[in-house]
Amino acid sequence: MSALQTERLLLRAWRPFDLAPWAAMNADPEVRRHFPEVLTREQSEAAVARFQTGLDERGWGWWAVEVRATGEFIGLTGLDPVEEDMPFTGVEAGWRLTRAAWGHGYATEAAEAALAFGFTTLGLPEILAVTTATNLRSQAVMRRLGMARDPADDFDDPGVPDGPLRRCMVYRISGEAQRAKKQRT
Ligand SMILES: CC(C)(COP(=O)(O)OP(=O)(O)OC[C@H]1O[C@@H](n2cnc3c(N)ncnc32)[C@H](O)[C@@H]1OP(=O)(O)O)[C@@H](O)C(=O)NCCC(=O)NCCS
């Protein structure tokens, strides 16, 4: 599986030309507001190498997102197995866009395609999403996707130092709930 297409977006493999805008968005404190730090160019490059290896090995993972009408790279969206140090298991969905691409519905549109892929092609029973309690924009994406939060799942991220970014929330959606939502819309 090399790419997913939506009305306005392409979720695809990473290309060398993505590196500069990807590194620039990871150096933007606003984009990284809910992460412990901004990333250096080297860290951004290493992340892309990991993402592409994941896509090559599994056929799914963190895709680069491009606006079909312009070919512009705007960030990433995808699915990934939850890291081992988390207090739960499963497959999570995630999204990060460059600031100019916020406010267009792109994150929700890309994530809808990733969820549909996870449920239909991978046959996952459930997909979850994790964010800091501070990240209201990301939580809004989760709710637009039809995901729901149980406050009992809230947890402190063991990889994050004490502070406002440590508290995290988990949103979940089942394949059944996503199919029902699609039928309603
Ligand atoms: C989290 C993030 C991806 C959310 O982006 P976003 O643009 O707010 O979310 P969406 O793509 O769903 O867009 C929704 C907005 O687009 C608007 N919109 C405009 N045109 C639209 C259209 N054609 N269709 C749908 N929505 C549209 C909606 O009204 C909504 O606006 P609002 O935020 O004023 O209510 C973005 O803030 C981001 O990249 N943040 C930094 C990285 C990050 O924190 N990632 C998450 C880590 S858990």
Side-chain angles (χ1 to χ4, degrees):
M1 183 74 226
S2 56
L4 304 178
Q5 194 166 297
T6 71
E7 192 184 335
R8 296 179 295 171
L9 304 171
L10 188 61
L11 281 64
R12 58 157 173 77
W14 292 77
R15 296 188 183 146
F17 280 129
D18 301 333
L19 256 180
W22 165 248
M25 71 174 256
N26 292 324
D28 179 346
E30 186 62 23
V31 171
R32 299 289 296 177
R33 174 179 286 212
H34 305 283
F35 294 83
E37 73 274 303
V38 296
L39 299 185
T40 63
R41 169 90 188 191
E42 290 69 32
Q43 287 170 316
S44 284
E45 282 184 19
V48 165
R50 279 198 311 277
F51 300 155
Q52 191 52 49
T53 302
L55 291 174
D56 289 341
E57 287 178 357
R58 286 189 307 237
W60 57 277
W62 297 123
W63 285 282
V65 180
E66 157 181 325
V67 176
R68 289 172 56 199
T70 59
E72 185 194 359
F73 166 87
I74 58 164
L76 71 68
T77 296
L79 300 172
D80 202 43
V82 169
E83 297 206 2
E84 279 176 10
D85 60 350
M86 290 290 139
F88 43 83
T89 57
V91 171
E92 67 174 312
W95 35 79
R96 293 184 222 164
L97 301 183
T98 189
R99 245 188 318 173
W102 298 8
H104 298 274
Y106 289 149
T108 301
E109 184 172 323
E112 268 167 358
L115 293 188
F117 174 84
F119 290 129
T120 307
T121 308
L122 302 181
L124 300 171
E126 178 188 69
I127 295 174
L128 45 89
V130 182
T131 194
T132 60
T134 59
N135 197 339
L136 303 183
R137 273 188 170 264
S138 196
Q139 290 165 40
V141 173
M142 294 169 194
R143 286 192 296 272
R144 279 193 285 274
L145 291 168
M147 301 181 116
R149 165 186 169 232
D150 179 350
D153 284 341
D154 289 3
F155 69 103
D156 290 325
D157 187 336
V160 175
D162 255 349
L165 299 182
R166 192 140 208 251
R167 196 69 183 156
C168 290
M169 296 171 170
V170 185
Y171 278 70
R172 300 171 186 269
I173 187 168
S174 65
E176 212 174 303
Q178 206 230 9
R179 278 188 294 277
K181 178 174 183 282
K182 271 172 104 176
Q183 274 167 8
R184 284 197 304 273
T185 51

